[in-house]
């Protein structure tokens, strides 16, 4: 989810310059990831001074998890337990992983982006602005022309994995048109992403040993975004969406062909995650970090654009359905070194804090907002 704006100084690392020194991120037993690139950036000053081009590397120790053969409808069977162990390890260590997930077929992704998403962004701005959920939910719909978000636009559907919500959105965008193919295409992709989200969330709850959490209500936001390539009067590489942590529980990012997503390792280095036609990036947001009592890391990430191609992405966010976020008692253990790290907080109020001038002054907004 979004925490704007740079005019409020919310983004801690919105510098455009990076060092080009290739470096491995912390070691991790999780298997090889050949489409990741890493480049080092240690301090903001270093980054300002450094060149902008990332360096490609083998990245054999970055987190990749293969979900082939994991059956969402049959938890505990087949490779489930082994994959769950990898998920827990990756989320605790990195806060994210690249999920090999062929269930979202390359053809489906192509249909989503080339058939549906491009067509959406080609609509007139006034039409796109109809994608709003009212003043009470200011960042749930269309975003465009934002200060310091140059060449960035996005549209979002609340519970966009559900056919009725997609249909309502389609009617707003293409009134009077036959939307059947559009709706089927968006639903096909969003529902596959939601299935993986449900699997990962279930694994996290099982992995943390918290019983009966499947009944916790969640809501989702399906956001599609367009990022323009740097223009002639810009730098070779431009940060389009500055460094931030998501407020969500989980975010699943589907990148279409053009790279741009960079994940920040705990030591400050940025890792460019190359798009692959069969994988999604799964990352934790601050809601899961808080709920897990800080056992799960919520990584900073950003979008930086180089080259000449426009970038498209689709992200499915899952968010706590209840208004309050609180680590269950099972995850609080004073004697065992896990005292409560965050006070119970109201999800919407925390989002508003992130957007406020005060929130913008802090890098670790959750800790400032409700850290114990
Ligand atoms: O477009 C992307 O790849 C990710 C965007 C993002 O980080 C967000 O919308 O929170
Ligand atoms: Fe994000």
């Amino acid at each position: 989810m979004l925490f704007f704006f740079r005019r409020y100084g919310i983004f801690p690392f919105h510098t455009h310059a990076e060092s080009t020194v290739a470096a491995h991120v912390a070691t991790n037993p999780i298997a090889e990831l050949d489409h990741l690139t890493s480049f080092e950036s240690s301090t903001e000053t270093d980054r300002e001074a450094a060149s902008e081009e990332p360096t490609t590397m083998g990245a054999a120790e970055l987190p990749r998890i293969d979900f082939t053969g994991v059956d969402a409808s049959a938890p505990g069977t087949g490779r489930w337990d082994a994959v769950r162990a990898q998920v827990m390890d990756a989320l605790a260590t990195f806060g994210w992983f690249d999920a090999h997930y062929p269930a979202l077929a390359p053809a489906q992704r192509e249909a989503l982006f080339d058939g549906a998403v491009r067509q959406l962004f080609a609509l007139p701005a006034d039409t796109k602005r109809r994608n709003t959920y009212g003043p009470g939910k200011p960042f749930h719909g269309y975003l465009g022309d934002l200060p310091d978000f140059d060449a960035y636009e996005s549209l979002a559907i609340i519970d966009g994995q559900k056919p009725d919500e997609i249909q309502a959105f389609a009617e707003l965008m293409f009134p009077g048109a036959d939307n059947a193919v559009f709706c089927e295409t968006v639903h096909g992709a969003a529902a596959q992403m939601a299935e993986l989200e449900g699997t990962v969330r279930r694994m996290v709850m099982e992995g943390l040993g918290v019983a009966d959490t499947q009944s916790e209500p969640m809501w989702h936001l399906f956001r599609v975004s367009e990022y323009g390539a740097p223009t002639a009067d810009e730098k070779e590489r431009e940060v389009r969406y500055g460094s931030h942590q998501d407020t969500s529980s989980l975010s699943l990012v589907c990148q279409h062909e053009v790279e741009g997503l960079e994940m920040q390792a705990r030591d400050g280095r940025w890792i460019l995650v190359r798009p692959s036609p069969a994988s999604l990036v799964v990352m934790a947001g601050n809601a899961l970090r808080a709920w897990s009592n800080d056992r799960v890391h919520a990584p900073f990430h950003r979008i930086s654009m180089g080259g000449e191609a426009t970038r498209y992405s689709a992200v499915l966010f899952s968010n706590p359905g209840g208004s309050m976020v609180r680590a269950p008692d099972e995850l609080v253990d004073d004697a065992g070194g896990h005292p409560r790290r965050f006070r119970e907080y109201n999800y919407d109020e925390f989002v508003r804090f992130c957007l406020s001038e005060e929130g913008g002054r802090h890098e670790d907004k959750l800790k400032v907002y409700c850290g114990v």
Side-chain angles (χ1 to χ4, degrees), residues 1 3 241 244-246 251 283 301 317:
M1 288 277 275
F3 328 115
Y241 191 146
H244 65 284
Q245 290 168 300
D246 289 351
S251 310
M283 75 175 97
H301 56 285
F317 300 96

Side-chain angles (χ1 to χ4, degrees), residues 1-4 143 149 152 154 223-227 241-242 244-248 251-256 258-263 281 283 301-303 311-315 317:
M1 288 277 275
L2 308 155
F3 328 115
F4 299 172
L143 302 170
F149 278 69
Y152 166 76
S154 70
R223 181 175 293 284
V224 293
S225 305
E226 182 188 81
Y227 303 83
Y241 191 146
H244 65 284
Q245 290 168 300
D246 289 351
T247 51
S248 52
S251 310
L252 277 70
V253 183
C254 180
Q255 310 192 78
H256 186 50
V258 179
E259 64 195 32
L261 176 62
E262 298 174 1
M263 306 300 301
V281 173
M283 75 175 97
H301 56 285
R302 66 183 182 188
I303 306 299
R311 174 177 184 269
Y312 294 94
S313 69
V315 186
F317 300 96

Side-chain angles (χ1 to χ4, degrees), residues 80-202:
W80 182 280
D81 290 358
V83 171
R84 185 181 74 195
Q86 293 184 333
V87 165
M88 296 312 292
D89 191 7
L91 291 181
T93 307
F94 298 96
W96 69 276
F97 55 86
D98 191 83
H100 180 66
Y101 186 58
L104 177 62
Q108 258 179 316
R109 298 163 71 125
E110 248 173 70
L112 174 69
F113 290 107
D114 296 334
V117 172
R118 280 180 204 274
Q119 176 190 352
L120 277 175
F121 286 108
L123 289 168
D126 279 350
T127 306
K128 288 181 274 196
R129 276 196 277 270
R130 287 188 215 137
N131 172 218
T132 167
Y133 291 92
K137 298 180 184 297
F139 296 101
H140 295 62
Y142 175 69
L143 302 170
D145 265 339
L146 294 170
D148 290 315
F149 278 69
D150 297 331
Y152 166 76
E153 257 189 299
S154 70
L155 293 147
I157 313 174
I158 292 183
D159 283 333
Q161 77 285 12
K162 296 185 180 165
D164 288 354
E165 305 296 336
I166 300 168
Q167 182 68 45
F169 172 81
E171 280 164 18
L172 270 181
M173 294 297 107
F174 312 106
D178 177 359
N179 298 315
V181 172
F182 176 90
C183 291
E184 209 179 292
T185 302
V186 173
H187 179 253
Q192 281 298 347
M193 289 170 77
E195 187 165 290
L196 180 62
E197 191 279 328
T199 296
V200 173
R201 184 153 39 92
R202 185 176 184 121

